[in-house]
Amino acid sequence: MSARDALFEHTGRDDIILPFQIDPYGLRGRLIRLGPVVDRILGRHDYPEPVAAMLAETMALAACLAGALKYEGIFTLQTKGDGPISTLMADITSAGEMRAYARYDADRLAAADATAIAERSVPRLLGGGYIAFTVDQGANTDRYQGIVQLEGHTLSECTHSYFRNSEQLEAGVKLAAGRVATADGPAWRAGALMIQRLPYQRDLPGRPSEDEYDETWRTAVTLMSSATAAELLAEELSPDQLLLRLFHSEGVRAYPPQPVADSCRCSNVRVERVLRALSAEELADLRQDEDVVVVCEFCKREWRYDDAALDALRADDEPPGF
């Protein structure tokens, strides 16, 4: 087995978060490849092309940032703005279960400038607003949330702004998403590449000088930036080939990948808990053809409750002897 095969024998091609390290300076990174997961999630929604593309980038970015954290729970990335695409949301659990959805104004989107659409312009498509990063580790823990303004022309640039202003860390991020030709026909794919500069530690044995460390960081960012969208999305280009193509001169080491799965957390229990809490007026707003209909925004699963089923829910919620 070659050294290359030994490094990357564990690596699958799609639907993974692949951590790596650029040696000998300890720069950390993650390579995200989303194939069937992003195609299935987008396939459930009839999103216009610009919305689907930006949501695919959001999914890749969420996986990329989540992969940098140690947590047990849910990482959520959400943008809220006053542009034609008002909401982009993707979350991923520490086990790699991902879901996503978007909200948009069809008329405003149809009137958007073609150049803005081609560039996936944040100012033109998302407008003014914010991007939020949330880690929820469940009951009895504090929720962490970072919020920054949507500052940047692309989602990548907005993320750079977040790291500069909120985390006081330097990071480079490259995103790509698109519908590409596959053996089974056109399919959505998304990818992300991220490297992070760790604080310089002077006392470690064998550590390069701070000037050398600075130069290595600048070189790594340049190499990362040279990756093309086609390379990030190419089904035939494996993750190991891409990392070696970019960083072979510096030395790169991959770690075991984490799989990403298409999985929604909606359930009968959660839906019925919500229905019990709604007023009669709110339930009336959900009626379709005499039934109360609830549709999950993430996976589009549908629940229908007729009057008898709603009465049974209320009866279950009443105290004994009422």
Side-chain angles (χ1 to χ4, degrees):
M1 179 182 295
S2 69
R4 171 181 172 278
D5 291 336
L7 260 174
F8 294 99
E9 62 177 334
H10 54 264
T11 304
R13 288 176 177 266
D14 278 338
D15 299 331
I16 59 167
I17 301 170
L18 179 64
F20 64 89
Q21 178 173 307
I22 300 173
D23 292 325
Y25 304 107
L27 301 177
R28 294 181 183 174
R30 279 154 303 284
L31 173 60
I32 311 302
R33 275 286 181 81
L34 300 180
V37 163
V38 71
D39 192 57
R40 284 195 295 265
I41 289 174
L42 294 178
R44 298 191 189 100
H45 304 268
D46 190 21
Y47 292 136
E49 190 93 357
V51 179
M54 293 202 77
L55 185 58
E57 286 191 356
T58 302
M59 284 186 267
L61 180 57
C64 197
L65 297 178
L69 302 173
K70 293 182 179 179
Y71 70 103
E72 291 293 330
I74 304 165
F75 175 86
T76 301
L77 187 156
Q78 182 176 22
T79 68
K80 297 286 284 187
D82 57 11
I85 304 175
S86 59
T87 301
L88 295 168
M89 182 173 179
D91 67 31
I92 181 169
T93 69
S94 46
E97 298 168 329
M98 174 172 279
R99 60 183 190 170
Y101 78 88
R103 291 177 181 161
Y104 66 98
D105 184 312
D107 292 336
R108 294 179 64 194
L109 187 65
D113 181 75
T115 301
I117 290 175
E119 295 176 350
R120 296 171 191 169
S121 166
V122 167
R124 298 289 187 88
L125 297 180
L126 304 187
Y130 65 84
I131 182 169
F133 309 87
T134 306
V135 178
D136 187 347
Q137 301 194 82
N140 304 317
T141 61
D142 293 331
R143 224 173 46 142
Y144 168 79
Q145 186 169 65
I147 299 177
V148 293
Q149 296 300 306
L150 285 167
E151 295 178 351
H153 188 69
T154 64
L155 283 176
S156 293
E157 291 180 9
C158 291
T159 307
H160 295 159
S161 176
Y162 167 72
F163 275 101
R164 278 196 310 270
N165 298 330
S166 298
E167 296 295 323
Q168 305 300 312
L169 291 173
E170 290 187 77
V173 180
K174 182 120 184 183
L175 299 174
R179 197 190 295 267
V180 301
T182 71
D184 298 321
W188 280 99
R189 295 178 62 79
L193 186 61
M194 177 179 179
I195 56 174
Q196 272 183 287
R197 173 179 174 158
L198 303 179
Y200 182 74
Q201 295 178 293
R202 291 178 173 81
D203 300 332
L204 289 180
R207 197 68 165 174
S209 70
E210 193 162 1
D211 286 343
E212 289 175 312
Y213 192 51
D214 290 343
E215 181 59 31
T216 299
W217 168 249
R218 288 191 289 269
T219 299
V221 171
T222 300
L223 293 171
M224 181 207 71
S225 300
S226 71
T228 65
E231 288 175 321
L232 284 173
L233 301 180
E235 189 177 22
E236 66 277 6
L237 181 65
S238 66
D240 61 303
Q241 290 172 325
L242 178 54
L243 288 180
L244 288 168
R245 179 180 294 183
L246 294 172
F247 303 116
H248 65 90
S249 61
E250 312 301 308
V252 60
R253 179 192 312 172
Y255 295 95
Q258 176 185 358
V260 179
D262 165 24
S263 179
C264 189
R265 298 186 302 280
C266 62
S267 67
N268 294 345
V269 171
R270 293 186 180 197
V271 169
E272 291 176 2
R273 185 185 303 136
V274 171
L275 291 177
R276 288 189 181 100
L278 296 181
S279 66
E281 291 77 13
E282 290 169 324
L283 287 172
D285 290 338
L286 297 176
R287 285 195 177 273
Q288 297 179 22
D289 301 325
E290 304 302 321
D291 292 339
V292 167
V293 179
V294 179
V295 179
C296 176
E297 284 193 282
F298 289 98
C299 69
K300 308 305 287 183
R301 182 180 173 186
E302 181 180 290
W303 287 263
R304 283 183 172 268
Y305 294 83
D306 58 19
D307 289 336
L310 289 173
D311 289 341
L313 278 181
R314 295 192 187 97
D316 289 342
D317 206 32
E318 291 173 356
F322 181 79

